[in-house]
Amino acid sequence: MAAGSRNPREVRPKKRFGQHFLKDPNTARIVADGTSPDDVVLEVGPGRGFLTGFLLERARHVHAVEIDADVLPYLKEATAGAENLDVHEADALLFDYARLDPPPDRLVANLPYNVASPLVLRLLEEVPTLGTLRFMVQLEVARRMTAKRRTKDYGAYAVLIQHHAAGRIVHRVPRTVFDPPPRVDSAVVELSRREPDLAPRSYPAFKQLVLRAFATRRKRLLNGFPKEERPAYRAALGAVGFGEDTRAEELSPESFVALFRALERGGAG
């Protein structure tokens, strides 16, 4: 290490930011796999820049969004001389992604644990240029994103994620590839955006329907709605082939869309 250069290990991950810095090159390659010279990549939580280096070699441009001011000097030193990088010091949950130029078409990241769940859904909802999202999260979160109906991990979150994208768990990641090692295993997830079944103007009402339906997860779906509204919901369930005792976890994302459309036709919701 050259005189005056920074030792990356001098900056420690912060629990309040959900940081676990990646240190294994093989895992970094798996996360970066599929990135092409035409891609504009969004990386959230670059930390000390370990994954960033792999992305800079592959992508046309990288936007790195980092909240931790203490880690920025190490990130900038690790990526010194890169002409295809913009570093944005910001909270990823509050950042205005519409300002990014050029606009990103691919997310590649080791996502901070404390923001991963809400951030992925927000990016799908608000950044339509992102066609592919490939990232690391806790294994539990990965399972919730990709869960199928009638499984214990299936819920409103899975329905909303899968409304926007087809997803799969690509690789299970041991905790030993991180500094410090987390208490749980992680996974690489890839989401591929698909054409939405509903118009953008209908999505907020659809999202509210899904959230309300799962409010009483172990009970009948109808129990999540006021008594005066239940006849309309009962009729809509029947119109799409489900009985009044149906639970929310029995409906696929496509069935929720069909239910929403039946409610629109019937004037409910």
Side-chain angles (χ1 to χ4, degrees):
M1 185 165 52
S5 64
R6 294 178 173 87
N7 181 352
R9 291 192 174 276
E10 291 176 359
V11 61
R12 302 304 301 160
K14 295 182 176 67
K15 186 175 182 179
R16 72 178 185 273
F17 293 145
Q19 292 173 331
H20 295 277
F21 295 149
L22 181 63
K23 63 180 182 180
D24 176 57
N26 290 328
T27 304
R29 292 187 187 98
I30 290 171
V31 181
D33 188 41
T35 302
S36 76
D38 294 327
D39 286 329
V40 177
V41 170
L42 169 64
E43 183 187 13
V44 174
R48 299 183 301 219
F50 189 79
L51 175 60
T52 314
F54 288 83
L55 296 175
L56 291 172
E57 293 175 355
R58 292 163 168 77
R60 174 164 67 94
H61 195 87
V62 176
H63 292 289
V65 179
E66 176 58 60
I67 192 174
D68 186 0
D70 291 339
V71 84
L72 287 176
Y74 299 87
L75 171 63
K76 291 177 180 178
E77 183 165 306
T79 58
E83 297 180 355
N84 58 334
L85 172 67
D86 285 324
V87 176
H88 310 269
E89 183 181 354
D91 182 335
L93 289 176
L94 302 176
F95 186 68
D96 179 11
Y97 293 96
R99 61 180 271 202
L100 294 178
D101 184 25
D105 53 38
R106 187 177 183 89
L107 170 75
V108 184
N110 170 30
L111 292 178
Y113 282 1
N114 62 339
V115 302
S117 293
L119 177 63
V120 170
L121 183 57
R122 185 193 169 205
L123 292 175
L124 286 171
E125 291 175 340
E126 299 181 15
V127 191
T129 59
L130 287 175
T132 301
L133 297 83
R134 189 177 174 102
F135 50 86
M136 277 195 295
V137 288
Q138 293 164 281
L139 182 60
E140 175 187 359
V141 174
R143 286 171 170 162
R144 287 177 54 222
M145 289 178 178
T146 59
K148 303 303 181 186
R149 66 184 182 130
R150 296 195 176 103
T151 64
K152 67 181 181 67
D153 294 310
Y154 187 69
Y157 187 63
V159 173
L160 296 174
I161 290 288
Q162 293 171 36
H163 174 72
H164 295 284
R168 63 191 180 101
I169 294 177
V170 176
H171 183 72
R172 185 163 174 168
V173 181
R175 57 197 76 181
T176 54
V177 305
F178 299 100
D179 175 29
R183 296 179 180 177
V184 295
D185 287 342
S186 300
V188 178
V189 176
E190 183 169 289
L191 301 178
S192 300
R193 187 180 293 276
R194 63 187 187 84
E195 192 69 26
D197 294 317
L198 298 171
R201 60 180 173 77
S202 297
Y203 177 73
F206 171 76
K207 182 176 182 178
Q208 187 63 25
L209 166 66
V210 173
L211 293 173
R212 291 174 71 186
F214 279 95
T216 53
R217 178 180 174 84
R218 299 302 177 189
K219 299 179 180 179
R220 300 188 312 164
L221 181 152
L222 290 177
N223 288 15
F225 302 93
K227 288 185 179 180
E228 62 272 18
E229 296 181 13
R230 291 178 190 175
Y233 284 90
R234 186 180 292 110
L237 280 169
V240 296
F242 292 93
E244 64 179 44
D245 293 329
T246 298
R247 293 180 297 177
E249 61 192 31
E250 297 178 59
L251 273 68
S252 66
E254 294 77 16
S255 295
F256 269 105
V257 171
L259 176 62
F260 178 79
R261 286 175 170 158
L263 288 166
E264 283 192 316
R265 290 193 298 270

